[in-house]
Amino acid sequence: MVKELARPAPSLRRGTAPEHAWAFLDGELVPIRDARISVMTHAFNYGTGVFEGIRAYWNAQDEQLYGLHLKEHYARLHRSCRIMRIALPHTIDELVGITVDLLRKCGYREDAYIRPIAYKSSPLIGVRLHDLEDGFTVFAIPFGTYLDIDRGISCAVSSWRRTDDNAIPARSKITGAYVNAALAKTEAAEAGFDEAIVLNQDGHVSEGSAENLFIVRDGVLVTPPGSDNILEGIVRASILQIAADEKIPTLVRQIDRTELYIADEAFLCGTGTQINFITKIDNRPLGEGTLGPITERIRRIYFEAVRGKVARYRGWVTPVYTGSRT
Ligand code: PMP
């Protein structure tokens, strides 16, 4: 008799796949329980994969699921592959098509998270990037809010530094590199903070454990440049676009650690976290310790745009279902 497995606690179930989830693996859609790879897979042994995290937002009024910035994510996946010498056998448009087919197959009528991974697939011992086979998979799971976005978060500057471009390039979204993010996140969580802010090897502010960072000083929105070992985030680019359209002054420049302590506002942003305002950094309250006016303005527009509700940003989203009212 097969022993019934106890259902994991809700906190452990978060981010897991439901029974009816599907995956795209080796060129076909399969039920996620059948999407398996060997324990000898190179990427499993050495972290030689690159990935994306993409969201799709359910719009109940339109009865439509909108994939957010699908092309931009797959363009970044292609760039990550170039750095890591992974051959991706699909164009950006094909990858968008595969993702839409996958979401339709899953049939989600709620927010979802999509995870494509391109990886060194050879079942082989030997550390290198050359002379290996490459694989590609993508799966999608239901996914609500990742951190409580209305509460605001406390952050600590991490004792872990972001990996340097000449060690493990942060610009490429490499699976193995997320050990660095995990070390920072767990250190922060176990010290009682919600998130970590990591500095780069020079001691300048880089980003959150797996989010980009913005601060506001004297009405100017400031974020570190790509050359400060950040992932060149897609939400970050969207926020810079909103700020430009709203005539909010922005600066992309290096940020010192102590600027975090004197900022009027600060927030972390990314596909998973969305836009999360920071109330305290290293136990120093930021501004009023509440949601600041510039963050509030940007957040309001962003959360409408991702559900296809802002005409100006309609190009950000791809409707998944056909035959709907949109
Ligand atoms: N930095 C890191 C290290 C990340 O993992 C992420 C999440 N992908 C981000 C920033 C935010 O990137 P995006 O806005 O493209 O999700």
Side-chain angles (χ1 to χ4, degrees):
M1 202 176 86
V2 180
K3 195 163 171 266
E4 265 298 294
L5 284 176
R7 240 171 117 64
S11 62
L12 295 180
R13 279 207 305 274
R14 214 192 128 55
T16 61
E19 273 294 298
H20 60 289
W22 287 73
F24 178 88
L25 180 66
D26 297 333
E28 58 180 340
L29 287 172
V30 291
I32 204 155
R33 61 179 171 275
D34 299 330
R36 297 178 187 279
I37 56 169
S38 164
V39 290
M40 281 193 68
T41 303
H42 198 274
F44 177 64
N45 284 266
Y46 301 116
T48 47
V50 295
F51 69 108
E52 280 300 318
I54 309 175
R55 265 186 189 264
Y57 287 89
W58 177 245
N59 180 323
Q61 204 180 0
D62 293 354
E63 300 228 328
Q64 183 58 274
L65 186 64
Y66 289 111
L68 180 63
H69 283 312
L70 299 184
K71 280 194 176 199
E72 288 77 2
H73 280 282
Y74 285 119
R76 186 170 67 188
L77 189 70
H78 267 279
R79 293 197 296 272
S80 291
C81 282
R82 275 169 69 172
I83 293 173
M84 288 294 283
R85 301 183 60 178
I86 296 171
L88 191 48
H90 307 286
T91 64
I92 293 170
D93 285 342
E94 285 165 2
L95 291 164
V96 171
I98 290 167
T99 304
V100 168
D101 288 348
L102 170 69
L103 287 168
R104 281 188 193 152
K105 189 84 182 165
C106 293
Y108 299 138
R109 292 170 63 84
E110 60 190 305
D111 294 352
Y113 191 82
I114 303 139
R115 167 56 48 81
I117 313 174
Y119 60 101
K120 293 289 171 195
S121 60
S122 298
L124 176 151
I125 298 297
V127 182
R128 60 176 191 262
L129 295 179
H130 61 284
D131 292 342
L132 294 168
E133 284 162 9
D134 300 308
F136 174 72
T137 185
V138 47
F139 58 86
I141 58 169
F143 204 71
T145 300
Y146 174 77
L147 291 170
D148 182 359
I149 46 174
D150 291 322
R151 182 173 57 84
I153 54 170
S154 63
C155 293
V157 173
S158 184
S159 70
W160 298 95
R161 297 279 172 108
R162 182 96 308 161
T163 54
D164 191 73
D165 195 48
N166 292 301
I168 302 177
R171 178 173 286 106
S172 178
K173 200 165 162 57
I174 300 167
T175 55
Y178 279 72
V179 167
N180 178 254
L183 287 166
K185 174 82 186 195
T186 292
E187 179 190 60
E190 290 184 348
F193 298 92
D194 296 306
E195 257 301 342
I197 295 174
V198 286
L199 308 178
N200 64 18
Q201 299 297 315
D202 303 337
H204 292 110
V205 174
S206 181
E207 54 182 347
S209 69
E211 309 88 10
N212 290 120
L213 176 128
F214 281 83
I215 62 171
V216 177
R217 288 196 65 187
D218 298 328
V220 182
L221 196 56
V222 189
T223 195
S227 52
D228 271 339
N229 297 310
I230 64 165
L231 181 75
E232 294 169 343
I234 288 160
V235 179
R236 172 180 176 271
S238 307
I239 288 169
L240 289 171
Q241 187 182 345
I242 292 172
D245 292 340
E246 291 294 301
K247 313 244 174 323
I248 298 168
T250 55
L251 273 177
V252 175
R253 66 150 173 87
Q254 214 156 53
I255 296 178
D256 281 340
R257 175 185 187 150
T258 52
E259 289 191 86
L260 297 174
Y261 302 157
I262 58 170
D264 304 317
E265 300 175 39
F267 60 87
L268 293 176
C269 66
T271 300
T273 198
Q274 306 177 96
I275 299 176
N276 239 289
F277 67 97
I278 302 173
T279 54
K280 274 185 185 175
I281 301 179
D282 285 348
N283 296 317
R284 292 157 176 87
L286 246 80
E288 306 292 308
T290 53
L291 178 60
I294 292 184
T295 311
E296 204 274 326
R297 212 164 128 201
I298 289 171
R299 219 175 73 133
R300 191 163 22 84
I301 298 168
Y302 183 80
F303 283 125
E304 292 277 294
V306 297
R307 289 184 205 276
K309 294 181 180 174
V310 180
R312 171 182 243 165
Y313 303 126
R314 205 47 202 193
W316 290 8
V317 297
T318 305
V320 167
Y321 299 121
T322 48
S324 71
R325 282 190 285 127
T326 53

PDB file of all heavy atoms in Angstrom, residues 24-39:
ATOM      1  N   PHE A  24       6.774  22.420 -20.065  1.00  0.00           N
ATOM      2  CA  PHE A  24       7.308  22.189 -21.407  1.00  0.00           C
ATOM      3  C   PHE A  24       8.715  21.648 -21.201  1.00  0.00           C
ATOM      4  O   PHE A  24       9.544  22.284 -20.558  1.00  0.00           O
ATOM      5  CB  PHE A  24       7.337  23.515 -22.168  1.00  0.00           C
ATOM      6  CG  PHE A  24       7.917  23.424 -23.553  1.00  0.00           C
ATOM      7  CD1 PHE A  24       7.126  23.112 -24.644  1.00  0.00           C
ATOM      8  CD2 PHE A  24       9.277  23.670 -23.762  1.00  0.00           C
ATOM      9  CE1 PHE A  24       7.669  23.050 -25.923  1.00  0.00           C
ATOM     10  CE2 PHE A  24       9.816  23.612 -25.032  1.00  0.00           C
ATOM     11  CZ  PHE A  24       9.009  23.295 -26.126  1.00  0.00           C
ATOM     12  N   LEU A  25       8.973  20.435 -21.689  1.00  0.00           N
ATOM     13  CA  LEU A  25      10.306  19.828 -21.514  1.00  0.00           C
ATOM     14  C   LEU A  25      10.635  19.016 -22.759  1.00  0.00           C
ATOM     15  O   LEU A  25       9.793  18.253 -23.237  1.00  0.00           O
ATOM     16  CB  LEU A  25      10.320  18.938 -20.257  1.00  0.00           C
ATOM     17  CG  LEU A  25      11.644  18.228 -19.952  1.00  0.00           C
ATOM     18  CD1 LEU A  25      12.748  19.230 -19.604  1.00  0.00           C
ATOM     19  CD2 LEU A  25      11.489  17.231 -18.793  1.00  0.00           C
ATOM     20  N   ASP A  26      11.868  19.179 -23.241  1.00  0.00           N
ATOM     21  CA  ASP A  26      12.322  18.444 -24.436  1.00  0.00           C
ATOM     22  C   ASP A  26      11.327  18.577 -25.585  1.00  0.00           C
ATOM     23  O   ASP A  26      10.983  17.600 -26.253  1.00  0.00           O
ATOM     24  CB  ASP A  26      12.547  16.957 -24.109  1.00  0.00           C
ATOM     25  CG  ASP A  26      13.644  16.776 -23.072  1.00  0.00           C
ATOM     26  OD1 ASP A  26      14.527  17.650 -23.014  1.00  0.00           O
ATOM     27  OD2 ASP A  26      13.603  15.787 -22.328  1.00  0.00           O
ATOM     28  N   GLY A  27      10.825  19.781 -25.773  1.00  0.00           N
ATOM     29  CA  GLY A  27      10.018  20.066 -26.954  1.00  0.00           C
ATOM     30  C   GLY A  27       8.549  19.738 -26.833  1.00  0.00           C
ATOM     31  O   GLY A  27       7.804  19.883 -27.795  1.00  0.00           O
ATOM     32  N   GLU A  28       8.078  19.247 -25.671  1.00  0.00           N
ATOM     33  CA  GLU A  28       6.637  18.962 -25.575  1.00  0.00           C
ATOM     34  C   GLU A  28       6.050  19.327 -24.217  1.00  0.00           C
ATOM     35  O   GLU A  28       6.769  19.425 -23.228  1.00  0.00           O
ATOM     36  CB  GLU A  28       6.341  17.504 -25.925  1.00  0.00           C
ATOM     37  CG  GLU A  28       7.064  16.527 -25.055  1.00  0.00           C
ATOM     38  CD  GLU A  28       6.732  15.074 -25.428  1.00  0.00           C
ATOM     39  OE1 GLU A  28       5.697  14.841 -26.077  1.00  0.00           O
ATOM     40  OE2 GLU A  28       7.507  14.185 -25.036  1.00  0.00           O
ATOM     41  N   LEU A  29       4.734  19.516 -24.220  1.00  0.00           N
ATOM     42  CA  LEU A  29       4.031  19.800 -22.964  1.00  0.00           C
ATOM     43  C   LEU A  29       3.726  18.478 -22.267  1.00  0.00           C
ATOM     44  O   LEU A  29       3.177  17.562 -22.874  1.00  0.00           O
ATOM     45  CB  LEU A  29       2.725  20.545 -23.252  1.00  0.00           C
ATOM     46  CG  LEU A  29       2.855  22.005 -23.680  1.00  0.00           C
ATOM     47  CD1 LEU A  29       1.499  22.553 -24.119  1.00  0.00           C
ATOM     48  CD2 LEU A  29       3.430  22.855 -22.557  1.00  0.00           C
ATOM     49  N   VAL A  30       4.108  18.392 -20.986  1.00  0.00           N
ATOM     50  CA  VAL A  30       3.856  17.177 -20.209  1.00  0.00           C
ATOM     51  C   VAL A  30       3.309  17.583 -18.830  1.00  0.00           C
ATOM     52  O   VAL A  30       3.604  18.680 -18.352  1.00  0.00           O
ATOM     53  CB  VAL A  30       5.147  16.335 -20.010  1.00  0.00           C
ATOM     54  CG1 VAL A  30       5.618  15.719 -21.314  1.00  0.00           C
ATOM     55  CG2 VAL A  30       6.261  17.165 -19.373  1.00  0.00           C
ATOM     56  N   PRO A  31       2.522  16.696 -18.197  1.00  0.00           N
ATOM     57  CA  PRO A  31       2.112  16.999 -16.822  1.00  0.00           C
ATOM     58  C   PRO A  31       3.370  17.214 -15.971  1.00  0.00           C
ATOM     59  O   PRO A  31       4.359  16.507 -16.154  1.00  0.00           O
ATOM     60  CB  PRO A  31       1.357  15.738 -16.382  1.00  0.00           C
ATOM     61  CG  PRO A  31       0.965  15.069 -17.642  1.00  0.00           C
ATOM     62  CD  PRO A  31       2.010  15.403 -18.661  1.00  0.00           C
ATOM     63  N   ILE A  32       3.309  18.150 -15.050  1.00  0.00           N
ATOM     64  CA  ILE A  32       4.532  18.527 -14.327  1.00  0.00           C
ATOM     65  C   ILE A  32       5.123  17.341 -13.554  1.00  0.00           C
ATOM     66  O   ILE A  32       6.336  17.236 -13.411  1.00  0.00           O
ATOM     67  CB  ILE A  32       4.277  19.761 -13.433  1.00  0.00           C
ATOM     68  CG1 ILE A  32       5.608  20.477 -13.173  1.00  0.00           C
ATOM     69  CG2 ILE A  32       3.569  19.419 -12.134  1.00  0.00           C
ATOM     70  CD1 ILE A  32       5.483  21.926 -12.844  1.00  0.00           C
ATOM     71  N   ARG A  33       4.274  16.422 -13.120  1.00  0.00           N
ATOM     72  CA  ARG A  33       4.806  15.264 -12.366  1.00  0.00           C
ATOM     73  C   ARG A  33       5.659  14.369 -13.261  1.00  0.00           C
ATOM     74  O   ARG A  33       6.478  13.591 -12.763  1.00  0.00           O
ATOM     75  CB  ARG A  33       3.667  14.475 -11.706  1.00  0.00           C
ATOM     76  CG  ARG A  33       2.684  13.898 -12.678  1.00  0.00           C
ATOM     77  CD  ARG A  33       1.571  13.089 -12.006  1.00  0.00           C
ATOM     78  NE  ARG A  33       0.549  12.750 -12.974  1.00  0.00           N
ATOM     79  CZ  ARG A  33      -0.463  13.558 -13.296  1.00  0.00           C
ATOM     80  NH1 ARG A  33      -0.602  14.705 -12.699  1.00  0.00           N
ATOM     81  NH2 ARG A  33      -1.343  13.193 -14.223  1.00  0.00           N
ATOM     82  N   ASP A  34       5.495  14.475 -14.575  1.00  0.00           N
ATOM     83  CA  ASP A  34       6.305  13.664 -15.497  1.00  0.00           C
ATOM     84  C   ASP A  34       7.496  14.434 -16.060  1.00  0.00           C
ATOM     85  O   ASP A  34       8.259  13.898 -16.866  1.00  0.00           O
ATOM     86  CB  ASP A  34       5.439  13.185 -16.683  1.00  0.00           C
ATOM     87  CG  ASP A  34       4.285  12.324 -16.207  1.00  0.00           C
ATOM     88  OD1 ASP A  34       4.449  11.648 -15.160  1.00  0.00           O
ATOM     89  OD2 ASP A  34       3.219  12.332 -16.862  1.00  0.00           O
ATOM     90  N   ALA A  35       7.653  15.684 -15.658  1.00  0.00           N
ATOM     91  CA  ALA A  35       8.768  16.503 -16.173  1.00  0.00           C
ATOM     92  C   ALA A  35       9.980  16.261 -15.280  1.00  0.00           C
ATOM     93  O   ALA A  35      10.183  16.948 -14.284  1.00  0.00           O
ATOM     94  CB  ALA A  35       8.364  17.978 -16.191  1.00  0.00           C
ATOM     95  N   ARG A  36      10.778  15.252 -15.629  1.00  0.00           N
ATOM     96  CA  ARG A  36      11.890  14.832 -14.754  1.00  0.00           C
ATOM     97  C   ARG A  36      13.216  14.875 -15.495  1.00  0.00           C
ATOM     98  O   ARG A  36      13.268  14.649 -16.694  1.00  0.00           O
ATOM     99  CB  ARG A  36      11.655  13.393 -14.278  1.00  0.00           C
ATOM    100  CG  ARG A  36      10.416  13.264 -13.431  1.00  0.00           C
ATOM    101  CD  ARG A  36      10.186  11.815 -13.030  1.00  0.00           C
ATOM    102  NE  ARG A  36       8.903  11.691 -12.356  1.00  0.00           N
ATOM    103  CZ  ARG A  36       8.704  11.975 -11.083  1.00  0.00           C
ATOM    104  NH1 ARG A  36       9.696  12.392 -10.330  1.00  0.00           N
ATOM    105  NH2 ARG A  36       7.505  11.858 -10.543  1.00  0.00           N
ATOM    106  N   ILE A  37      14.272  15.138 -14.720  1.00  0.00           N
ATOM    107  CA  ILE A  37      15.620  15.100 -15.295  1.00  0.00           C
ATOM    108  C   ILE A  37      16.500  14.199 -14.421  1.00  0.00           C
ATOM    109  O   ILE A  37      16.172  13.933 -13.268  1.00  0.00           O
ATOM    110  CB  ILE A  37      16.231  16.513 -15.411  1.00  0.00           C
ATOM    111  CG1 ILE A  37      16.257  17.239 -14.065  1.00  0.00           C
ATOM    112  CG2 ILE A  37      15.505  17.350 -16.466  1.00  0.00           C
ATOM    113  CD1 ILE A  37      17.083  18.502 -14.061  1.00  0.00           C
ATOM    114  N   SER A  38      17.640  13.766 -14.973  1.00  0.00           N
ATOM    115  CA  SER A  38      18.554  12.852 -14.265  1.00  0.00           C
ATOM    116  C   SER A  38      19.290  13.561 -13.122  1.00  0.00           C
ATOM    117  O   SER A  38      19.602  14.757 -13.229  1.00  0.00           O
ATOM    118  CB  SER A  38      19.580  12.327 -15.266  1.00  0.00           C
ATOM    119  OG  SER A  38      20.680  11.759 -14.593  1.00  0.00           O
ATOM    120  N   VAL A  39      19.612  12.804 -12.077  1.00  0.00           N
ATOM    121  CA  VAL A  39      20.444  13.371 -11.001  1.00  0.00           C
ATOM    122  C   VAL A  39      21.829  13.735 -11.519  1.00  0.00           C
ATOM    123  O   VAL A  39      22.557  14.492 -10.885  1.00  0.00           O
ATOM    124  CB  VAL A  39      20.597  12.409  -9.786  1.00  0.00           C
ATOM    125  CG1 VAL A  39      19.291  12.269  -9.037  1.00  0.00           C
ATOM    126  CG2 VAL A  39      21.168  11.056 -10.202  1.00  0.00           C
TER     127      VAL A  39
END
